Structure formats: structure tokens, C-alpha cells
Amino acid sequence: MERKLPICLCPTIRFECWTYQRVAIISAYREFDDWFIHHLNNLYVTSEYDCDFGWFGKKYNQVSHYEDILETQEKLYKAYDCESIIPEICRRIDSHTYTIIDIDSSKIYKHFETTFVAQFLIYGYDEEKRIFYTPCPLDGWHEHEIDWDDFIEAFKVRREFTKEQKGEMTARQNPYPILFITPKLQVKPQIQLSRFYNDLKSVLNAADTTYRFQNRENMDFYFYEGILGVLTGLKDLMQRVLDNQFDIGNLGYDHEFSSGYCKIYEYNSMFHQNLKRLDACFDLHISNELYSQVEEVLLLTHKLRKAVLVYMNDNKKGHLKNGLHYLDEIKLKEKEIFSNLVTLIENYFIEG
């Protein structure tokens, strides 16, 4: 018997796995479309060039940002053994619940030569074939089948992790190795134009503002909040790489050199979609000219992402020079778009 829960294998946000796993679920349900307008609508970047959705200290990696529409149950490994874990996951799927679990990727993807623990989202199973269905990021997101025997081997490895490695796992926003996620289909997210309006003003006000932590040992640690600040931070990174002042090899696995530039593209793709939904809901009469400006930014961010990815392949500095030009253009156009939208919505409020 085969059983699969709804899944969107290629949602708008898919570059970073942790956020992808939740968005892949949420995007599979039209009931949650309006939720995106007030979530994942901001970016930040730290002085270490870690770029993420959300705002600093409150990443969207945290379960609390999804709790309005996703019910999450957290479990430790000691709750299950090799005999009980597969029947439990199947039972959860039968009750319309997804599983996110830490297991050893090297037992699933044969190209890994050493143990590499990562989270897997399981959304289906086939009892006769003895397989689980999970999204796979290799060569573009697609459906992958995990043999149950391989799954158990991967499960065993994660259970036997050393204390040091387990310590690294607890550095995550949610340190629990097993999560059971159930969509709250009875919830109907509501759009608030005032909230969107205040988000736009916050982005404009926070542009290029440096936020510092005074309680850290590294007093030079800071971050930029909002897409305009992120563009500044990632321009600084690109300029330093161009000037041979920064080695991209110093960036961690979770935020390699292309990461932030890919997320800029995802942010603008999401903004474009949300703007159309907002316009349709409130009849804002957003002009074709303004939509064209948003689409120009989207095209520029696509070119920026491509320039970075090509540079990582051939190391030719010309791609970085093009990228710096794209960043300047994007920031200038983005600031104008947000300012025009603020004025348009203000007039909408005043005119009633």
C-alpha cells in the first residue's frame, strides 16, 4: 500500500534545507497562501555573512514562526528503537503528519564517503516496496525513495553519535532529532494591510543601519536587517572577495558564498507573488509601471545569482564585477519600489 501526503517539491524558497522542509509542506496547501504575506518577508545578514530569512535572533528556522499553521511534536531518539521507528513514521503519515528526522546521509546517498548527519523530511511510504518518500536536493529538488533497510542503518548511526557531535546538533534552533509536523488545516490566515505597510516602512528605516551585540565577546559582531541592509552586507562580501581580502572557503557549510545571493532572489520572488495577492485582496490599483519595476528587480536578482554561481565554477573575477553592478541597481530600484508602495498604501488609508 502506498500513502503520500501533499508536498510541493519546488516551492519559492528552497535554497536552504531547514526552511525548505517547512515551506515544502506549507506550499502544498492553498489554505495557507495568505500566510506567506506576513512571514518570510524579511532578510538579515551578519558580519560573518550568514544570511537568513527572519530577523536576527529569531530565525524562521525556529518552530515558533510556524506555530500558527503547523503543529509540531518533538521527540528524542530514546523514544524509539530500530523496530518501532518505521511503524511510527507510517502511523504518523496515516494520520496526516509529516516526519522530519536526523539520520546519516551517507547511508541514503551513496556518494557521501563519510558520515554526514542531516535532516530528512518524510511525506510518504510504500509498505510493499518497503520505502519512504522524501525530497532530495541533488540536481534540483525531486522525489527520492529511501529503502527501509538503508533508513535503519542511517538511524543507527545518528543514535550512536559521539557526545561532541551531539553537541553540534544542539546548536540548532530546534535540537530535537525527531519532529512530527501536522498542518492545521482548520486555520485560515488573514491578511493585514497595516502589517504589510509597517513592514515596508521598517525595511526603509533599517536600511544600512548596523545592529551590534554588546554582550558578545566579539564586539565587532553585527548584522544588517531587511533586504536593503542585506544588499549592503553582501556587496561588502563580494567586494572583499574581488579584492582578495576574503577567502570564501572560510564560510560555513550552512551559508556558502552563493547562499545569500540565492536568498535575495527567493525573497524578491516571494515579494512579487505576495504583492499580487495583496493587490487582489484590497484592490490597491498597483500600477503596471510599479509591477514592471518589481519584475526588473527580480530579473536583476536572477542575474546576480547566476553571476555568483558561475564564479564559483570558474573563479573569473569578471562575474563579481557584474555582481557588484547588479547589487547597486537592485538596491536603488528596491528602495524606490518600497517608497512608492508606502505612499500608495498611505493614500489608500486616507481616502478610505
Side-chain angles (χ1 to χ4, degrees), residues 176-209:
Y176 280 87
I178 305 175
L179 302 176
F180 295 115
I181 296 179
T182 307
K184 298 180 181 179
L185 298 180
Q186 75 279 8
V187 174
K188 308 296 181 187
Q190 300 296 311
I191 304 175
Q192 298 176 15
L193 183 59
S194 59
R195 182 173 173 179
F196 183 82
Y197 167 73
N198 286 321
D199 284 345
L200 289 174
K201 290 200 298 182
S202 295
V203 170
L204 287 167
N205 291 335
D208 295 336
T209 300

Side-chain angles (χ1 to χ4, degrees), residues 181-238:
I181 296 179
T182 307
K184 298 180 181 179
L185 298 180
Q186 75 279 8
V187 174
K188 308 296 181 187
Q190 300 296 311
I191 304 175
Q192 298 176 15
L193 183 59
S194 59
R195 182 173 173 179
F196 183 82
Y197 167 73
N198 286 321
D199 284 345
L200 289 174
K201 290 200 298 182
S202 295
V203 170
L204 287 167
N205 291 335
D208 295 336
T209 300
T210 304
Y211 298 88
R212 297 183 181 275
F213 275 111
Q214 299 302 319
N215 59 341
R216 290 180 60 104
E217 293 180 5
N218 181 3
M219 300 300 289
D220 291 331
F221 185 86
Y222 62 89
F223 66 96
Y224 288 115
E225 181 178 24
I227 183 65
L228 300 180
V230 166
L231 291 168
T232 296
L234 293 182
K235 180 181 178 182
D236 174 65
L237 170 61
M238 188 171 288

